[in-house]
Amino acid sequence: MRKKPGIVVLGGGSGISVLLRGLKHLPVDITTIVTVADSGGSSGVLRKEFSCLPPGDFRNVIAALSEVEPLMEEMFQYRFQKDTFLGGHPLGNLIIMAMTELTGNLQEAIDSLRKLFHIKAHIFPASLDNVTLAAKKTDGTVVIGESNIPELRKRIEKVYYTTEAFPVAKTLDIVKKADLIILGMGSLYTSLLPHLLVKGVSEAIFQSKAKKIYICNAMEQPGETEQYSASAHVKAIYQHSQEGLIDTILVDSHSIPKKEMKRYEEAGVSRVRIDVPKLEELGLEVIDRNMIEVDKEGMIRHHPYRLAAVIYSLIEHWERFYD
């Protein structure tokens, strides 16, 4: 009998959705842990109105992992016009909110929607605590609220929760027993690092015997990682957890079409510099693969299937997953 290797993915925003869209086609057991720090857009409005956890990242994860007709997914992601009384809310956010009220909590709501959307993967919030993310900038300025952090274009010293955040009970055990742990690409300070601020998460990752992978962003992010090299991303991860938390970094040094790069550069956004010697000084295995694409909107993204193929190749000792 075949035993599927267990992959745990930590992240948030659009990055985790891209990753999961490719991973769901692999013969693996996926658990995704989703950040709950979002405070902008529809999620921010709903948080203020209902004192709830933000539904937006969960909506994107459900859509990415769903095994339903494309029209069903399209409907779930449909966003009402901003000039209507629904104020630009995506339908999926409202469904998650309704399901939360029906079931009593977000975890029960997500489990119910997993069945509705025929999702095999497991989905957990990073915490069920209604936390607020804050950042201290290098000039001493403090910014409260996840969506406000990138708005102040000053270098970030650290991020933290204004109150303590506790994990969903079973997630720490899942992390410790995983075969592969992936820290997904996306907003470094507002999507990824908030996971490491949840009590016990960094320790569980460090103690796990799993292979630990960080997927480095292809582009800098305004307000968060301007002039950050790949090693600067890793150092920020270590600053918010502990050194040696990851052992492998995935990067892509392949060329990007000049037209798209020029558009980014005109907006003041550069490509993340891949400083291999410094990454190796940090004890990391550096894997450089062609994983980047330019999507229909001209955005530079990781290609979900190329990325999944690279990750699949990193699962060691496949023979141990067979009896």
Side-chain angles (χ1 to χ4, degrees), residues 17-152:
S17 301
V18 169
L19 174 58
L20 294 172
R21 199 170 289 278
L23 285 183
K24 72 178 180 181
H25 298 290
L26 300 181
V28 294
D29 184 8
I30 302 170
T31 296
T32 180
I33 303 175
V34 184
T35 184
V36 292
D38 191 6
S39 67
S42 169
S43 287
V45 171
L46 293 172
R47 284 190 78 171
K48 291 177 183 177
E49 182 71 22
F50 296 97
S51 297
C52 64
L53 294 175
D57 283 350
F58 293 95
R59 183 191 82 249
N60 290 328
V61 165
I62 289 169
L65 289 169
S66 68
E67 297 287 355
V68 294
E69 293 295 326
L71 183 59
M72 183 76 167
E73 179 185 333
E74 187 177 346
M75 179 187 70
F76 192 67
Q77 291 283 55
Y78 177 77
R79 187 180 294 270
F80 293 96
Q81 296 298 316
K82 287 187 177 181
D83 58 357
T84 68
F85 77 97
L86 289 173
H89 290 295
L91 178 60
N93 283 6
L94 302 180
I95 291 174
I96 292 171
M97 292 297 303
M99 191 66 78
T100 300
E101 291 199 358
L102 285 171
T103 59
N105 66 68
L106 178 63
Q107 187 61 65
E108 292 291 336
I110 297 303
D111 289 342
S112 297
L113 289 169
R114 281 181 57 228
K115 297 174 184 176
L116 185 64
F117 283 84
H118 302 163
I119 294 172
K120 297 176 182 176
H122 305 280
I123 305 170
F124 295 99
S127 174
L128 289 172
D129 297 308
N130 195 358
V131 293
T132 298
L133 189 69
K136 181 182 178 182
K137 303 283 184 167
T138 52
D139 68 349
T141 305
V142 173
V143 182
I144 306 296
E146 175 269 341
S147 62
N148 297 323
I149 291 171
E151 296 299 319
L152 184 61

